[in-house]
Amino acid sequence: MEEAFDVIAFDENFNCVSALDDKELRRVPSLEKDMEFFYGDNWKNKIKPSPATVTYVSRIREVAKVSPHLLVGHQYSRYLGDLFGGQMMGNMATRSLNLENGMGTEFYIFKDIPNAREFINDWYFRLNELPLTNEEKKEIVDEANLVFALNIGIFEELEGSSAKALWMLVMNTLKQKIGTGV
């Protein structure tokens, strides 16, 4: 996802994505640390993406080429969803896997965001300031719902979908914040 953001970052036609692409939200370095913790230094050669992950990545690439404004739905779903539920999910993982000192849960730690509530409010403010039509807003909400379904597919492959209730909270908040009422 972040790779797609980087590709379109310099195109002024897609500054709605860049306006919400905060470096504090970037998760790849944290995810790589977690993968190394669980699978070792050579994890990139050992671990292959699951079919649901391949589908999700394909969707991101497609949207980046065809309708880049829809990447806002991916930003919302991944970044704010992870920020909203990150502490809870990280704590659940720590307890259930008997992890120590945040090892294996870097993905859920947003070290550069000291106040999540303030950060999220600012992100929503910037979201509402984007020059989007009502149709584009609806498309973004629809894309965020698709992202949710794609993520549920990934969770189901991992034998668990505890994120569904959290996702409903996140989606209802998005709809309320951008005023679609959909």
Side-chain angles (χ1 to χ4, degrees):
M1 180 173 79
E2 293 169 7
E3 182 180 298
F5 298 160
D6 292 339
V7 168
I8 66 169
F10 300 105
D11 189 327
E12 64 186 46
N13 295 317
F14 308 116
N15 53 4
C16 66
V17 174
S18 297
L20 301 173
D21 183 24
D22 300 308
K23 66 176 176 52
E24 300 93 334
L25 293 171
R26 294 282 183 123
R27 307 312 313 141
V28 170
S30 298
L31 182 58
E32 288 176 339
K33 286 181 187 174
D34 290 343
M35 295 298 286
E36 187 174 321
F37 173 79
F38 286 111
Y39 300 104
D41 293 337
N42 197 24
W43 68 268
K44 288 182 182 182
N45 294 320
K46 293 178 186 175
I47 306 298
K48 301 295 177 216
S50 70
T53 300
V54 170
T55 300
Y56 181 46
V57 170
S58 294
R59 178 61 184 172
I60 291 169
R61 289 180 176 148
E62 175 188 349
V63 165
K65 289 179 186 172
V66 178
S67 301
H69 72 283
L70 296 182
L71 288 172
V72 172
H74 291 262
Q75 288 172 303
Y76 179 84
S77 302
R78 283 282 22 112
Y79 289 156
L80 291 195
D82 295 334
L83 187 56
F84 270 129
Q87 262 187 331
M88 179 186 71
M89 298 294 279
N91 288 338
M92 285 174 30
T94 298
R95 282 192 303 275
S96 65
L97 300 173
N98 293 318
L99 302 173
E100 295 179 16
N101 302 324
M103 298 301 293
T105 59
E106 280 283 325
F107 182 83
Y108 299 111
I109 300 169
F110 292 81
K111 294 176 185 170
D112 296 325
I113 301 176
N115 186 318
R117 180 169 290 185
E118 286 179 16
F119 187 91
I120 290 168
N121 286 337
D122 175 68
W123 198 92
Y124 280 134
F125 177 80
R126 290 181 286 134
L127 173 65
N128 286 319
E129 294 296 308
L130 295 176
L132 299 168
T133 66
N134 286 337
E135 181 62 27
E136 289 170 326
K137 289 178 183 180
K138 182 184 180 312
E139 291 171 353
I140 289 169
V141 170
D142 290 345
E143 186 70 17
N145 278 315
L146 176 59
V147 171
F148 172 64
L150 294 171
N151 278 292
I152 290 297
I154 293 169
F155 275 108
E156 287 175 351
E157 283 182 344
L158 298 173
E159 298 182 35
S161 62
S162 62
K164 190 168 185 174
L166 174 63
W167 182 253
M168 294 310 297
L169 171 66
V170 169
M171 284 309 303
N172 288 335
T173 302
L174 172 63
K175 291 174 186 176
Q176 178 186 22
K177 293 289 185 179
I178 66 173
T180 63
V182 177

